[in-house]
Amino acid sequence: MLYTSESMEKTVDMFASLPTIGRKTAQRLTFFLLRQDESYIDKFSESLQELKSNVKFCSNCYNYTETDPCPICASKKRNTSIICVVEEPNDVNAIEKTGEYFSQYHVLHGSLNPLDGIGPGDLKIAELIQRLDGVEEIILALNPSVEGEVTMQYLVKMIRPLDIKITRIARGLPIGSDLEFADEATISRAIEGRIEI
Amino acid sequence: MKISELIINNIRNHSHTELSVDSGLNIIYGLNGTGKTSVLESIAIAAFTKSFLPVSDASVINYEKEFYSVVVKAVSDLGIPYWVKVLYNKGLKKEISTTAGDKLLPKAIIGDMPVVILSPDYKSITFGKPEDRRQFVDRILSQASKLYIDDLIKYRKVLKQRNKLLKEAKLSGRYDFKDIDPWTNLLIDKGASVVERRASFIKEFAPKFRDEYEIVAGGKEVADINYVPDGIEEENLTDNISKDEIIEIFRKNYQELKDKEIRRGSTLFGPQKDDYKISLDKGAAKENASQGQHKSLLISIKFAEFKFLKEKRNETPIILLDDVFAELDRERTAKVFELIRNNAAQTFITVTEPEGLKKVLDSTDDYSFFSADAGTIEAVEL
């Protein structure tokens, strides 16, 4: 045993099981918790428990929510004829932060990835197809990875026959960085995706 | 590019080695197992983020240590300082930083510090398996073009994913084109990009290789290198074959092979099966060349690599020669030194015994000797 306490060992193991957390960081977090007073620990464990019992999927867009439908789907101010399809709930937050998008979302919860055993049935694709009544445009905002690319192709094939406008978000240069600092791959994709003005 | 400082932590038997380099020619000598080659490996890690030997990252780490790191400080031909740090913690992602920033991906730094390596292991380029030749070309192209690395990485990923699907379909006996088609489309698209880039690379590289061979072998015979892409007939491989033409050929190949792919449960076409034919007087070098000719071919191909990279990156590559002089006769050794001198290329050489090399050096050479012993490297006057 590495530690003098089994509880510490268990906590370190739990932290280390989280994504992006290595063993060293897990240790640091554990020591940090040990130094805190009781009330902090209570709050911490309480919030973890509530997280799982209170948060569920929105039955419309499959984003995480405490109310069903979620505040975005329930909002009267939002345009329901446009749906932006994203891979993860995080992506919704990223787009919401812009404050420039006033329509709806659909969260797939991943992308097609045979190596990880994720097929179309494991994503919220059927759920997306079911809510397309009255929808005029689908914006595909998936990641530029090969998995995102393939998922996009798959969705296009499913949606195309339904006579709905399909768009994808542009790929290219990040705003705020100069052309000369972008790498060749990014610049080349940006040229590929050029638009007429 | 010239390296001015090298700091190695926990690579093989080096626990901590700091090397200041101020010469063009750096000769590291010592018995086997003293840590000579690990110095070259460390430079390779700084250039490619991995060793040039076919080993895992974990196996490079010093026994019983948890990480390795390499720091290289260098100066470009134009005098601009460059540094790179590669840190690998067992089981974690490599942390790569350079003058350009932190948390970089390998593909972001490959090619920043161009390196050409000659090692006895590379004999297989001229008479080994197609895989050895693909690796050789991929290594050059990856240093020359970030777009190539990007396409290649994506292609490999799609190939893996598609093979998994085909294998599953074979096992379950259920084959759904709707699921596999998007992977096939992307495979063909990315595969065609890779083939297009390889074809245009060979078009540029072959004349260089022919010229170098003529110099190295004295014009006794003519060497050549050709691209032999999988599933593309020679007559279709025109000099300016376009991506769209390749896509069309791949689509046809796919149609012909798709039933077989289902039966076998794996992808049966594409650049993962490419080869390059190295020939002497039109005959395949693999079968026909003598031992000596193989050595000349290998040196010429490496010289051509040097010139290609120098031209593409506008930067003189660093040359690593791992224990090669034992295998080369006096004439070929002289040719190697000619290349180094003519280009003022910084070179790192490992030898077991320094005496032989001392004879090749002349007073105008800017050289240093280093002795290696049990994982320590020391500059010595010889």
Side-chain angles (χ1 to χ4, degrees), chain A residues 113-115 147 153 184 189, chain B residues 146-147 150 161 178 182 185:
Chain A
N113 192 327
L115 288 168
E147 290 79 13
Q153 276 201 34
E184 295 94 317
R189 301 289 175 255
Chain B
K146 298 233 190 297
L147 294 170
D150 197 59
Q161 295 277 23
K178 197 170 88 249
N185 292 339

Side-chain angles (χ1 to χ4, degrees), chain B residues 81-292:
Chain B
Y82 172 80
W83 60 262
V84 51
K85 179 179 180 191
V86 178
L87 164 70
Y88 174 68
N89 269 296
K90 230 179 235 178
L92 294 179
K93 254 183 145 175
K94 260 177 235 156
E95 286 174 39
I96 303 164
S97 27
T98 73
T99 329
D102 293 333
K103 297 197 172 153
L104 300 170
L105 291 171
K107 67 175 181 183
I109 77 149
I110 295 172
D112 282 357
M113 182 172 81
V115 167
V116 173
I117 306 164
L118 187 55
S119 131
D121 282 6
Y122 289 166
K123 279 191 267 186
S124 55
I125 293 172
T126 64
F127 63 75
K129 304 180 297 290
E131 192 190 328
D132 300 317
R133 281 178 287 282
R134 279 198 302 273
Q135 197 187 48
F136 163 71
V137 170
D138 286 347
R139 184 166 284 153
I140 305 179
L141 264 175
S142 302
Q143 291 192 78
S145 156
K146 298 233 190 297
L147 294 170
Y148 182 75
I149 312 185
D150 197 59
D151 283 334
L152 188 66
I153 290 173
K154 284 195 169 137
Y155 179 77
R156 286 183 179 154
K157 216 161 173 190
V158 178
L159 179 66
K160 251 197 205 160
Q161 295 277 23
R162 185 172 186 265
N163 279 340
K164 180 78 201 284
L165 269 187
L166 286 167
K167 197 170 149 202
E168 269 172 10
K170 183 191 169 189
L171 289 176
S172 69
R174 277 184 297 116
Y175 191 90
D176 195 342
F177 279 106
K178 197 170 88 249
D179 289 356
I180 297 183
D181 278 351
W183 291 105
T184 307
N185 292 339
L186 199 58
L187 183 92
I188 288 175
D189 185 76
K190 292 287 165 207
S193 292
V194 168
V195 170
E196 187 196 13
R197 290 183 199 284
R198 286 180 179 172
S200 82
F201 162 72
I202 287 295
K203 202 174 95 186
E204 243 180 291
F205 185 77
K208 288 192 166 57
F209 173 56
R210 286 194 291 266
D211 290 350
E212 293 303 324
Y213 189 83
E214 198 184 331
I215 297 167
V216 171
K220 275 170 265 169
E221 61 271 320
V222 179
D224 206 355
I225 181 167
N226 291 96
Y227 182 31
V228 191
D230 172 70
I232 301 178
E233 300 294 325
E234 214 180 317
E235 69 254 30
N236 290 329
L237 189 68
T238 53
D239 254 2
N240 296 310
I241 191 161
S242 71
K243 185 175 166 183
D244 288 339
E245 289 169 296
I246 301 165
I247 287 179
E248 208 174 297
I249 296 171
F250 276 170
R251 290 220 169 280
K252 226 174 69 210
N253 295 350
Y254 162 68
Q255 287 302 335
E256 279 164 19
L257 286 165
K258 72 179 177 198
D259 295 335
K260 209 168 161 193
E261 283 194 324
I262 297 168
R263 283 200 303 279
R264 294 266 193 89
S266 78
T267 301
L268 295 178
F269 67 99
Q272 74 280 11
K273 302 173 75 188
D274 284 356
D275 197 0
Y276 303 87
K277 185 179 153 201
I278 297 170
S279 55
L280 268 184
D281 284 342
K282 307 269 171 207
K286 203 172 158 182
E287 287 95 32
N288 302 319
S290 68
Q291 289 279 348

Side-chain angles (χ1 to χ4, degrees), chain B residues 302-315:
Chain B
K302 284 287 161 179
F303 284 7
E305 174 181 353
F306 177 90
K307 297 210 164 143
F308 176 83
L309 280 178
K310 186 174 176 178
E311 210 175 282
K312 281 281 143 174
R313 304 293 325 185
N314 217 353
E315 185 71 47

Side-chain angles (χ1 to χ4, degrees), chain A residues 61-193:
Chain A
C61 71
Y62 290 88
N63 195 1
Y64 291 126
T65 176
E66 293 201 11
T67 57
D68 189 14
C70 73
I72 292 177
C73 290
S75 167
K76 293 251 162 23
K77 289 188 193 134
R78 287 189 172 247
N79 181 348
T80 54
S81 67
I82 299 175
I83 296 178
C84 178
V85 181
V86 295
E87 287 178 24
E88 301 292 345
N90 263 344
D91 302 331
V92 173
N93 299 347
I95 297 174
E96 278 301 287
K97 262 202 307 211
T98 66
E100 303 262 339
Y101 178 74
F102 304 108
S103 305
Q104 300 213 315
Y105 293 96
H106 190 86
V107 184
L108 295 174
H109 288 275
S111 53
L112 294 172
N113 192 327
L115 288 168
D116 289 349
I118 299 170
D122 302 303
L123 304 176
K124 305 291 178 197
I125 291 178
E127 290 82 350
L128 171 68
I129 303 299
Q130 266 164 27
R131 59 181 284 216
L132 292 183
D133 239 3
V135 171
E136 285 158 20
E137 180 177 354
I138 295 282
I139 304 171
L140 298 175
L142 307 190
N143 288 319
S145 60
V146 298
E147 290 79 13
E149 192 79 30
V150 162
T151 310
M152 212 156 2
Q153 276 201 34
Y154 185 91
L155 290 174
V156 169
K157 226 173 178 171
M158 303 273 294
I159 302 167
R160 187 72 79 206
L162 305 176
D163 200 28
I164 295 170
K165 181 175 168 190
I166 309 169
T167 54
R168 67 180 285 173
I169 54 168
R171 299 181 298 181
L173 296 168
I175 288 185
S177 83
D178 279 342
L179 197 61
E180 59 174 323
F181 294 123
D183 68 83
E184 295 94 317
T186 306
I187 295 178
S188 137
R189 301 289 175 255
I191 289 178
E192 228 173 66

Side-chain angles (χ1 to χ4, degrees), chain B residues 286-338:
Chain B
K286 203 172 158 182
E287 287 95 32
N288 302 319
S290 68
Q291 289 279 348
Q293 285 170 328
H294 272 297
K295 284 177 190 169
S296 294
L297 284 168
L298 183 58
I299 296 178
S300 324
I301 215 169
K302 284 287 161 179
F303 284 7
E305 174 181 353
F306 177 90
K307 297 210 164 143
F308 176 83
L309 280 178
K310 186 174 176 178
E311 210 175 282
K312 281 281 143 174
R313 304 293 325 185
N314 217 353
E315 185 71 47
T316 310
I318 292 163
I319 300 179
L320 309 182
L321 303 173
D322 184 24
D323 207 10
V324 290
F325 292 108
E327 304 234 358
L328 297 182
D329 52 29
R330 190 191 302 218
E331 217 173 307
R332 292 193 183 92
T333 303
K335 300 274 190 214
V336 172
F337 272 86
E338 212 177 286

